[in-house]
Amino acid sequence: IAQLDAEQGYLFQSLLRPHPSLTQFGPVVSTVRAIVIIENGRPQLLHTVWKLPAGRNHADNFWREGNLLGAVNSATGAVERMVKGVGPWQQSVTEHPDTKAPIVGTQLPNWQRLVDLCLDCAGIFSQIRYQSWDIALCPDGPVIVEVNTGSAFNLSQLAKGEGFLTDQFGAFLSRCGYKLKQPH
């Protein structure tokens, strides 16, 4: 308590538990990072990844050693690829390192509810044209943990194994007024 910064403030939330279908991956709640862009006042889902805790970690941040990161099909909620580590230490994994439960092919629960919640709430902040949402997968449905006005571009790149600057995202940046360098 003595370390809390009174000037900054803190928000205390109820402890979240994982959806029953996800407890095979451990007792710690995981979140979906949903990247949203706003075009003409309408939110669009650009990328989704699943941040999954492993080892002794009590949070799903990918920078925590041992945690996993998965590419999720934004239309279906199916996990298509899972990795751990970065750079030359990155490895594809097909099962959870602690529980040995198969991960790739997992259908994340309440997917359409998660997408609807994210897009409905993103519209509230339509002046922020690039948003990233962390949404927990809990027993009673998806729960918003936080929204960011930016995001680590590397998360979806690491999860999917491909670049973030797609034609769609490049066109979005251009419409926002950014001038992209053209390749030589």
Side-chain angles (χ1 to χ4, degrees):
I1 295 291
Q3 294 178 353
L4 296 179
D5 181 351
E7 291 180 23
Q8 186 177 11
Y10 285 84
L11 171 67
F12 292 93
Q13 296 174 274
S14 299
L15 178 64
L16 299 176
R17 298 283 182 207
H19 188 277
S21 70
L22 301 179
T23 57
Q24 64 183 320
F25 305 115
V28 179
V29 74
S30 59
T31 62
V32 169
R33 167 69 54 93
I35 309 286
V36 175
I37 58 174
I38 308 291
E39 293 273 40
N40 300 317
R42 296 182 55 140
Q44 298 174 36
L45 195 55
L46 190 62
H47 294 281
T48 49
V49 299
W50 185 27
K51 301 183 302 172
L52 185 59
R56 300 178 72 192
N57 293 317
H58 294 284
D60 65 2
N61 309 86
F62 187 59
W63 55 263
R64 294 177 188 271
E65 187 174 340
N67 278 353
L68 308 176
L69 186 66
V72 178
N73 182 305
S74 295
T76 67
V79 179
E80 296 177 333
R81 180 175 186 252
M82 185 66 69
V83 298
K84 69 176 184 176
V86 297
W89 301 277
Q90 187 179 65
Q91 301 172 13
S92 290
V93 296
T94 57
E95 63 183 31
H96 195 280
D98 303 326
T99 68
K100 306 303 180 212
I103 298 175
V104 175
T106 297
Q107 174 64 49
L108 297 180
N110 299 309
W111 187 253
Q112 193 57 53
R113 285 179 61 193
L114 181 147
V115 170
D116 292 344
L117 174 66
C118 179
L119 295 179
D120 286 348
C121 291
I124 296 169
F125 303 103
S126 63
Q127 296 296 320
I128 302 169
R129 297 189 56 199
Y130 179 86
Q131 307 170 8
S132 62
W133 295 79
D134 288 340
I135 302 174
L137 303 164
C138 298
D140 294 329
V143 175
I144 295 171
V145 174
E146 68 176 343
V147 61
N148 298 287
T149 57
S151 175
F153 293 118
N154 67 334
L155 289 182
S156 70
Q157 292 181 122
L158 291 167
K160 294 177 179 235
E162 55 190 49
F164 195 87
L165 188 56
T166 61
D167 290 342
Q168 178 188 13
F169 191 60
F172 167 75
L173 290 174
S174 292
R175 286 189 294 276
C176 289
Y178 291 98
K179 295 190 186 320
L180 301 175
K181 289 184 179 180
Q182 297 302 315
H184 298 284

